[in-house]
Amino acid sequence: MSHHIVLTGVESTFKSALAKALGDYLALEVVDEYARTFLEELDGSIDMNDFPVDLLDQISDGQLKLQHVNGYYDPEKTSKIFDTDMLTLGVWSQDKFNIFKQEYFSAPQHIIYLLCVPSNNFTPDPLRVDGDRRSALHENYKKALESSSNVVIELCELTFEKRFKEATRACLLYTSPSPRD
């Protein structure tokens, strides 16, 4: 069985940079975050503080398709690193729209979550709107992951370099081949 690694957590916690660096280091394919790609293609035409709820379905459909195409649900596929998954949409949709969809919170057992703690400095970005609420939102991620039976490893280091080392150690536990008898 292969394990896919999913970086998750609140905005500005090194998720995308870690995904790319881990992919390079471990020679694993990285699957980018669908929502960011989708919103960047809209070229700033969306008010992130007054986000239209109708786009949520488009984003979730795109993320779901991306996960299917990349073998997220298949434990026999080669390990990959995912820069977020449906969990992020679940936490976000609950917080922004008070919408709860169980399917956003259901991950296969072979998914290993690296939960990025917001202990680092916030970096502003046009798509980031909750810089002042990262700690509270992090608690929502923790609660969601506590109810799953997936492996969850919190990445707490303050700098990218130290967090990368922390993530690398965690990934090597699950992506290294098992010793043969």
Side-chain angles (χ1 to χ4, degrees):
M1 175 169 74
S2 296
H3 289 92
H4 295 308
I5 306 296
V6 175
L7 285 116
T8 196
V10 301
E11 57 195 26
S12 190
T13 52
F14 304 126
K15 294 183 304 292
S16 297
L18 283 169
K20 287 176 180 47
L22 288 169
D24 288 345
Y25 183 79
L26 299 170
L28 295 176
E29 183 180 342
V30 175
V31 180
D32 291 331
E33 175 186 11
Y34 181 81
R36 178 166 280 279
T37 303
F38 176 85
L39 293 169
E40 285 175 345
E41 287 175 3
L42 295 176
D43 201 25
S45 65
I46 301 300
D47 180 354
M48 294 303 294
N49 289 303
D50 188 23
F51 196 86
V53 70
D54 60 306
L55 287 183
L56 178 62
D57 287 336
Q58 289 181 54
I59 292 171
S60 62
D61 289 348
Q63 179 66 40
L64 192 60
K65 182 179 179 183
L66 185 73
Q67 288 176 195
H68 277 289
V69 166
N70 284 284
Y72 175 92
Y73 298 97
D74 187 347
E76 301 306 317
K77 295 287 185 182
T78 303
S79 294
K80 291 184 182 179
I81 296 176
F82 288 80
D83 180 2
T84 76
D85 66 357
M86 294 299 285
L87 175 72
T88 298
L89 290 173
V91 170
W92 191 74
S93 64
Q94 258 189 308
D95 181 66
K96 297 295 179 204
F97 306 112
N98 202 27
I99 295 173
F100 176 81
K101 293 185 179 182
Q102 182 59 46
E103 62 267 24
Y104 288 177
F105 297 94
S106 301
Q109 290 303 298
H110 63 277
I111 300 299
I112 308 297
Y113 281 104
L114 300 181
L115 175 59
C116 295
V117 177
S119 54
N120 61 305
N121 291 328
F122 177 76
T123 303
D125 176 297
L127 298 179
R128 297 177 180 157
V129 295
D130 289 314
D132 58 335
R133 300 182 53 236
R134 292 189 315 151
S135 293
L137 290 170
H138 177 71
E139 292 304 314
N140 295 346
Y141 278 90
K142 284 177 66 171
K143 286 178 190 166
L145 289 166
E146 285 170 2
S147 66
S148 82
S149 56
N150 295 81
V151 173
V152 178
I153 300 160
E154 284 192 276
L155 303 179
C156 304
E157 291 292 344
L158 299 177
T159 66
F160 173 80
E161 293 76 16
K162 288 182 179 179
R163 195 167 286 196
F164 174 70
K165 287 180 184 176
E166 186 179 33
T168 302
R169 285 191 299 273
C171 287
L172 288 174
L173 289 173
Y174 295 99
T175 59
S176 296
S178 302
R180 305 245 177 208
D181 293 329

